[in-house]
Amino acid sequence: MKLIVHPNFASLRDGIASLASNFETQGTVLYNKRNQVRLVEVDGTSLVVKRFKHLSAWRAFIYRYLRRSKAQRAYENALHLLQLGFNTPDPVAWMRAGRYYYYICMPSMKRSVKDELVLSSPYNTKLVEPYAQYVAQLHESGVLHRDCNPSNVLYEKPQDGTAYSFELIDINRMRFYEGRPVPKRACIKNLCTLFWEPKGVFEEVVKAYADARGWPADDYEKIMRAKKRSNKSYARGKHFAHPIHYLRSLLNAKSIS
């Protein structure tokens, strides 16, 4: 086992170390697909624990000796984000136990942007501009969240009517351009991952983003063209992943032509 605990939470070390032995019986499940996320209590403190999927022997070797694990990256990225002034749930620890890796952080009471811009109908138009400005601020500060979709951005609007506040989660896939903004090409590619549906939200967010960055109308058109190509590539990928769907699409295309 390897366990790195933030100094602020050193008193929880023994309790965190014991999580691996009975992880699946503790707390409340928050997410359970490829990875599992649980809300647990350790010595009276509520913690969010993300256990990454079980590794093959080869991947376990790579993460142990050649490359930082996702859990370690999440922990170190959280520290760096906080240093840069961007919010993320306070990092508590990361741990390796056998072929499992764990990332532990404090809970967040904020809601995901996805709840308001994707799952709600009609969507919350008041959130569009603050969200776009937040993504623009990340890029201008050299922060590239490679999976910056609305489910990985949490928000909160204070009751006193002040500005929205945001925080990032699922932060193991990030890149920091120290001392300079994210290159425009990388920004455009990143924007294309924000939304697949519903229609209209992406266009509004992109317009607000371009305004926040002071980009000309030509750059907005570049993003929309890139998004169109991205959607086509995504659709092709789904078809090839499901041959029956791909054949059906070919038959439909033939019948229309």
Side-chain angles (χ1 to χ4, degrees), residues 32-119:
N32 189 19
K33 290 187 178 179
R34 182 174 59 175
N35 307 310
Q36 187 173 132
V37 181
R38 286 180 173 267
L39 178 66
V40 304
E41 190 168 299
V42 174
D43 297 338
T45 301
S46 294
L47 300 175
V48 172
V49 183
K50 181 175 184 178
R51 186 182 71 179
F52 293 90
K53 71 175 184 177
H54 189 265
L55 296 175
S56 66
W58 172 241
R59 285 188 174 274
F61 174 84
I62 290 175
Y63 284 137
R64 187 163 185 172
Y65 298 107
L66 302 178
R67 186 182 178 191
R68 293 182 304 157
S69 69
K70 292 181 179 180
Q72 181 179 355
R73 280 181 275 154
Y75 178 82
E76 293 175 355
N77 287 345
L79 293 175
H80 198 44
L81 279 171
L82 293 172
Q83 186 180 25
L84 292 173
F86 292 101
N87 292 329
T88 189
D90 287 340
V92 175
W94 72 270
M95 176 171 62
R96 182 189 73 236
R99 293 188 189 175
Y100 282 113
Y101 282 85
Y102 301 79
Y103 173 59
I104 301 99
C105 66
M106 296 298 290
S108 174
M109 301 305 293
K110 295 181 174 65
R111 300 182 62 189
S112 77
V113 170
K114 183 178 181 179
D115 291 339
E116 294 293 303
L117 295 186
V118 177
L119 300 180

Side-chain angles (χ1 to χ4, degrees), residues 121-207:
S121 182
Y123 58 87
N124 183 357
T125 57
K126 294 181 180 179
L127 186 58
V128 168
E129 187 172 348
Y131 173 56
Q133 291 174 346
Y134 174 69
V135 176
Q137 186 182 7
L138 287 172
H139 289 170
E140 287 176 340
S141 301
V143 177
L144 181 66
H145 191 318
R146 295 183 185 275
D147 195 10
C148 193
N149 68 70
S151 62
N152 290 334
V153 181
L154 309 182
Y155 83 95
E156 184 176 54
K157 191 172 191 310
Q159 296 297 322
D160 59 6
T162 55
Y164 284 90
S165 61
F166 296 90
E167 65 182 29
L168 294 176
I169 59 172
D170 202 5
I171 54 173
N172 58 280
R173 296 177 63 239
M174 301 195 71
R175 179 173 178 182
F176 297 96
Y177 293 81
E178 304 294 351
R180 60 190 178 97
V182 177
K184 181 176 286 189
R185 190 169 184 176
C187 290
I188 292 174
K189 184 177 180 180
N190 196 225
L191 288 170
C192 289
T193 68
L194 296 186
F195 294 93
W196 295 105
E197 57 184 16
K199 292 181 178 178
V201 180
F202 178 78
E203 288 84 347
E204 284 197 45
V205 170
V206 168
K207 286 178 181 177

